[in-house]
């Protein structure tokens, strides 16, 4: 990201004609995601095309069968990549044979980065289209950018299309302000501090205590429980701040995320 971001910013503001900024961000986002593996990028692109084709016709509005078809593709990909090992090993009790030279989902299937985030974003779009919240389908390039926008692709926050519809449509007219750049840098620096100082600090303290879990007393066990909980919290909080900051560079005001999740009283909160 240290090299990638300056190159994209220079191209966005200086090299590419403003009417082509959307295409630049789409190409940059797919190129950035492609570093995790071309097969993973194909999973992302396939999901985008699948949902777009099934949602572009207005017949999906109020049609539960078509909605089910739209969400089945991304959902099956998520289950295969993220939960197949759990289902086969923990549920079906199929043993892992690490010495086998044959293909195995335990050893050969690598989890695409951020698959949960872009899958739920694809599903949320299909549901909004089904409900009639999205009357007119956006162009494929706008929809693809909405799903793959690199600042929030890997670690969220998960977006509804109406949250980014205007920024995508106005990319050609976007003129950055000093306030935008100041906010962007502040969010990124703050997010890095949370990630490096707090999340990574807690992560370094956990392994020695987990070497012999049976020897932990009540206080140590409580410390590990709380430490791991807050490590996860600070990880996602830091990444969310960085994503918000990166979005500000390009005129996107991504929503706040992970404000106080441990104070939630119900799943909706």
């Amino acid at each position: 990201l240290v090299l990638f971001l300056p190159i994209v910013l220079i191209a966005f503001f200086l090299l590419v004609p403003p009417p082509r900024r959307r295409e630049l961000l789409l190409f940059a986002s797919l190129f950035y995601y492609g570093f995790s593996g071309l097969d993973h990028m194909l999973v992302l692109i396939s999901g985008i095309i699948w949902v777009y084709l099934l949602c572009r016709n207005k017949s999906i509005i109020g049609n539960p069968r078509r909605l089910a078809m739209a969400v089945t593709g991304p959902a099956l990909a998520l289950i295969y990549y993220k939960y197949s090992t759990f289902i086969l090993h923990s549920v079906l009790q199929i043993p892992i044979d690490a010495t086998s030279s044959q293909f195995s989902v335990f050893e050969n299937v690598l989890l695409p980065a951020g698959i949960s985030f872009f899958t739920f974003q694809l599903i949320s779009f299909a549901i909004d289209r089904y409900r009639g919240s999205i009357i007119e389908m956006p162009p494929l390039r706008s929809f693809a950018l909405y799903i793959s926008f690199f600042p929030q692709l890997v670690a969220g926050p998960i977006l509804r299309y109406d949250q980014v519809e205007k920024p995508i449509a106005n990319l050609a007219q976007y003129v950055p302000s000093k306030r935008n750049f100041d906010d962007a840098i502040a969010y990124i620096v703050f997010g890095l501090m949370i990630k490096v100082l707090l999340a990574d600090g807690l992560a370094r303290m956990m392994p020695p205590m987990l070497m012999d879990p049976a020897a932990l007393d009540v206080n140590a066990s409580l410390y590990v429980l709380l430490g791991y909980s807050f490590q996860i919290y600070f990880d996602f909080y830091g990444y969310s701040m960085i994503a918000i900051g990166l979005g500000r560079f390009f005129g996107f005001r991504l929503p706040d995320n992970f404000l106080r999740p441990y104070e939630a009283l119900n799943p909706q909160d």
Side-chain angles (χ1 to χ4, degrees):
L1 191 61
V2 174
L3 294 176
F4 175 80
L5 180 61
I7 292 173
V8 174
L9 287 172
I10 291 171
F12 184 86
F13 290 112
L14 300 177
L15 301 181
V16 173
R20 292 289 176 262
R21 285 174 171 174
R22 177 182 56 182
E23 287 75 13
L24 168 69
L25 287 182
L26 176 58
F27 173 80
S29 297
L30 294 176
F31 180 81
Y32 178 77
Y33 192 72
F35 276 108
S36 68
L38 291 179
D39 52 337
H40 294 174
M41 185 172 68
L42 290 176
V43 173
L44 172 62
I45 293 174
S46 299
I48 290 171
I49 294 174
W50 176 273
V51 172
Y52 188 84
L53 291 177
L54 287 168
C55 289
R56 67 176 180 173
N57 194 296
K58 287 187 177 181
S59 62
I60 191 176
I61 299 177
N63 187 333
R65 182 175 299 179
R66 198 169 183 88
L67 171 65
M69 292 176 60
V71 303
T72 295
L76 287 177
L78 177 64
I79 292 171
Y80 172 70
Y81 280 101
K82 194 162 187 177
Y83 300 109
S84 58
T85 298
F86 170 77
I87 293 172
L88 294 176
H89 179 56
S90 300
V91 178
L92 301 179
Q93 301 294 312
I94 298 177
I96 299 176
D97 184 4
T99 62
S100 175
S101 60
Q102 298 179 347
F103 175 84
S104 168
V105 295
F106 301 115
E107 300 294 332
N108 301 108
V109 176
L110 298 178
L111 181 67
I115 187 171
S116 296
F117 292 99
F118 68 73
T119 296
F120 289 129
Q121 203 155 293
L122 287 166
I123 291 174
S124 74
F125 181 90
I127 293 174
D128 284 343
R129 180 71 167 151
Y130 163 78
R131 290 174 174 171
S133 303
I134 300 173
I135 303 299
E136 298 295 332
M137 277 293 289
L140 177 58
R141 289 167 292 181
S142 296
F143 175 70
L145 178 58
Y146 154 64
I147 298 297
S148 65
F149 188 43
F150 74 89
Q152 52 81 222
L153 173 61
V154 175
I158 297 172
L159 304 173
R160 307 290 285 269
Y161 181 70
D162 61 1
Q163 294 175 301
V164 296
E165 181 178 10
K166 288 184 179 179
I168 291 176
N170 295 331
L171 280 173
Q173 293 79 36
Y174 172 62
V175 177
S177 65
K178 182 178 182 299
R179 175 67 182 272
N180 277 358
F181 270 72
D182 289 345
D183 288 349
I185 294 171
Y187 272 111
I188 292 172
V189 170
F190 182 72
L192 286 172
M193 290 174 58
I194 293 294
K195 163 64 178 162
V196 174
L197 297 180
L198 297 179
D200 291 353
L202 287 170
R204 286 191 294 270
M205 298 172 67
M206 293 297 111
M209 304 186 70
L210 294 175
M211 292 180 64
D212 187 10
L216 297 177
D217 58 20
V218 175
N219 291 333
S221 299
L222 183 61
Y223 177 85
V224 170
L225 175 63
L226 293 176
Y228 185 67
S229 299
F230 280 98
Q231 177 198 337
I232 295 174
Y233 169 78
F234 288 129
D235 253 328
F236 281 102
Y237 186 77
Y239 282 130
S240 295
M241 292 296 102
I242 294 171
I244 292 172
L246 293 174
R248 292 291 175 91
F249 280 129
F250 305 101
F252 289 77
R253 300 187 70 88
L254 304 182
D256 290 333
N257 196 21
F258 276 86
L259 291 177
R260 292 183 298 273
Y262 291 146
E263 293 182 17
L265 300 178
N266 54 59
Q268 184 175 0
D269 290 343

